[in-house]
Amino acid sequence: MHVLIVGASGFIGRHLAARRVAEGVSVTAAGRAPNRLSWRLPGAKAIRCDLTADRAEDWRERLAGVDAVVNCAGLFGDDRGYARVHTGGAIALFDACRAAGVGRVLQISALGAAADAASACHRSKAAADDHLAAMGAGIGFAIVRPSLVIGRGGQSSALFTTLAALPVTPDLGRADGPVQPIHVDDLVELLVRLLHAPLPLAVRIDAVGTEPMTTGALVAILRRWLGLSDTMRVTVRRWLIAAVARLGIGPVAREGLAMLAAGDTASVEPLVAMTGFQPVPIAQALARRPASDGDLRMARLAPVAPVLSAALALVWFAGGAIPLFVTPAATNMAWLARVGLSGGATTTALWAGALADIAIGAALLLRIRGAALAGIALMTTYTLILTRIAPEFWAAPLGPLAKNIAVLALSLAAHALETRHG
């Protein structure tokens, strides 16, 4: 079997691709960054695709010799992207599959996807689901609608594991409905079974775990998985969660809050009846892959990462603004003279250094990759220059140069916590 996995760089896609490669199946991994895919999925052929722009004819050569296609592509929190990726891009892919004679298509949708759903994400998924289901004979399909998917590398897992690692556990109270999480390993097992199910195939499956639970119960399970004892719970009022979500500064976006409030559950019996597979309880599934010290460390660092970047950005903005608008011009000229600059060169150097500082601060706030490394390079340069012209600063009472060591360490931490996109 030759399987093409669209969105193979995503959470579900890369788990499915890794399993299929390990089983000796021919896998083509499609995504926006094929070079990165080839590094992350050795043994798979990596090709480029872009559901925001690809048309049906763009898939013709990519689908040559492919027996099955799994569409794992998806995004969240981008209203403008839903129509292009979830609907238009997916429909173009499905039409291309029918034209190329691909016999089997698996569509990863979402539990709750419906034309009248409150969430734009769910509505966009439903439009593609319905198009695939209406294709009729000639193409076998399975529309898989997962609930909350838990596992290393998933955004939902990162969110709830971060909450689990806090000294005080926040309880969303009435702000959320029940969820029915399924582990990514069990979801992949379900997909593998559907890839080998006899044709003709025409099913919609709600991929859920065995037990509905509150998000508070899920956080408690993840806390035990991290090896932490129970702690005090504090109920967070819905209005506060909603206010933070509107500002876009919290862990739950506005759309995510609406989806949590609606709940995310379904009966697991149809899944078992159709596939003969029974997902295990989420606590048991997590126990198959015990948490490491690194899992706990990352969970505790996650809420600190944006604060780190903001603090560093403030340092760089101050470093650029203070010489321009606060420090007396005579003082600036005197310092630059010690470096050997005079005349018009002093003004040029002053503005160049100040604007470089401000640029690094802006890059940190915009989360541009490499911003922290650029800051390290510039801070090191400043430190070496000051060490050369004013070594006494190392022994000064307030330690102006010694503090650079702490800033450099924080910059390294900010760089290590950068998230790759694409």
Side-chain angles (χ1 to χ4, degrees):
M1 174 180 284
H2 181 183
V3 181
L4 186 147
I5 301 174
V6 180
S9 62
F11 175 47
I12 297 171
R14 65 177 179 267
H15 276 82
L16 175 62
R19 162 128 179 216
R20 296 270 72 190
V21 168
E23 293 171 342
V25 173
S26 177
V27 172
T28 296
R32 289 179 298 173
N35 288 338
R36 188 175 300 161
L37 272 176
S38 64
W39 300 334
R40 301 186 74 176
L41 295 170
K45 176 185 176 183
I47 64 171
R48 188 181 187 281
C49 74
D50 184 356
L51 291 188
T52 64
D54 288 344
R55 298 167 297 176
E57 51 265 33
D58 296 320
W59 287 98
R60 186 179 299 115
E61 292 185 8
R62 302 171 189 165
L63 293 173
V66 170
D67 301 300
V69 168
V70 186
N71 180 28
C72 299
L75 44 81
F76 185 74
D78 181 4
D79 290 352
R80 293 176 297 177
Y82 291 150
R84 291 183 296 171
V85 175
H86 292 172
T87 306
I91 288 174
L93 171 63
F94 301 154
D95 288 345
C97 288
R98 180 170 57 182
V102 175
R104 189 185 309 257
V105 175
L106 272 55
Q107 155 79 339
I108 308 301
S109 183
L111 190 63
D116 59 351
S119 160
C121 178
H122 281 152
R123 293 194 299 271
S124 64
K125 281 285 189 182
D129 297 350
D130 294 341
H131 182 87
L132 177 60
M135 282 186 164
I139 187 167
F141 73 87
I143 296 167
V144 182
R145 302 166 10 125
S147 177
L148 202 63
V149 183
I150 298 298
R152 282 192 180 96
Q155 291 184 351
S156 297
S157 288
L159 166 61
F160 289 109
T161 305
T162 296
L163 295 178
L166 293 174
V168 175
T169 302
D171 191 332
L172 302 184
R174 295 182 180 180
D176 67 330
V179 294
Q180 203 164 338
I182 183 171
H183 196 274
V184 67
D185 290 345
D186 287 345
L187 178 57
V188 167
E189 173 64 28
L190 170 61
L191 296 175
V192 169
R193 292 189 178 216
L194 290 170
L195 284 171
H196 291 281
L199 294 174
L201 183 67
V203 296
R204 297 189 191 225
I205 300 179
D206 292 335
V208 296
T210 57
E211 50 187 337
M213 62 183 66
T214 64
T215 56
L218 175 59
V219 168
I221 289 172
L222 287 165
R223 188 172 178 85
R224 288 193 292 273
W225 177 69
L226 289 171
L228 300 173
S229 59
D230 291 339
T231 187
M232 181 175 65
R233 294 189 181 187
V234 175
T235 299
V236 183
R237 299 295 181 185
R238 181 179 174 82
W239 66 265
L240 179 58
I241 302 172
V244 171
R246 279 195 297 271
L247 292 173
I249 59 175
V252 182
R254 293 180 66 181
E255 188 169 30
L257 181 62
M259 292 166 70
L260 282 175
D264 204 30
T265 63
S267 172
V268 74
E269 296 306 321
L271 182 157
V272 177
M274 280 188 279
T275 66
F277 174 65
Q278 172 83 45
V280 301
I282 197 66
Q284 184 179 334
L286 286 165
R288 294 183 302 208
R289 298 173 181 262
S292 65
D293 290 342
D295 291 311
L296 178 58
R297 189 176 300 115
M298 286 306 301
R300 285 177 167 166
L301 280 174
V304 178
V307 177
L308 251 181
S309 295
L312 282 173
L314 181 61
V315 169
W316 284 107
F317 278 127
I322 289 174
L324 292 179
F325 306 113
V326 178
T327 307
T331 302
N332 289 329
M333 297 304 106
W335 274 106
L336 290 170
R338 295 182 68 172
V339 186
L341 298 175
S342 61
T346 57
T347 302
T348 301
L350 175 66
W351 276 90
L355 292 177
D357 288 4
I358 293 170
I360 289 175
L364 285 165
L365 287 182
L366 294 172
R367 300 182 182 181
I368 296 174
R369 291 199 66 224
L373 283 181
I376 289 172
L378 194 55
M379 179 71 75
T380 301
T381 301
Y382 290 159
T383 302
L384 291 174
I385 291 172
L386 285 171
T387 299
R388 176 74 176 81
I389 67 173
E392 66 273 13
F393 273 18
W394 282 104
L398 298 179
L401 280 182
K403 290 176 182 177
N404 283 359
I405 298 174
V407 175
L408 290 171
L410 289 174
S411 299
L412 286 171
H415 174 67
L417 291 169
E418 282 183 353
T419 302
R420 291 185 176 182
H421 299 282

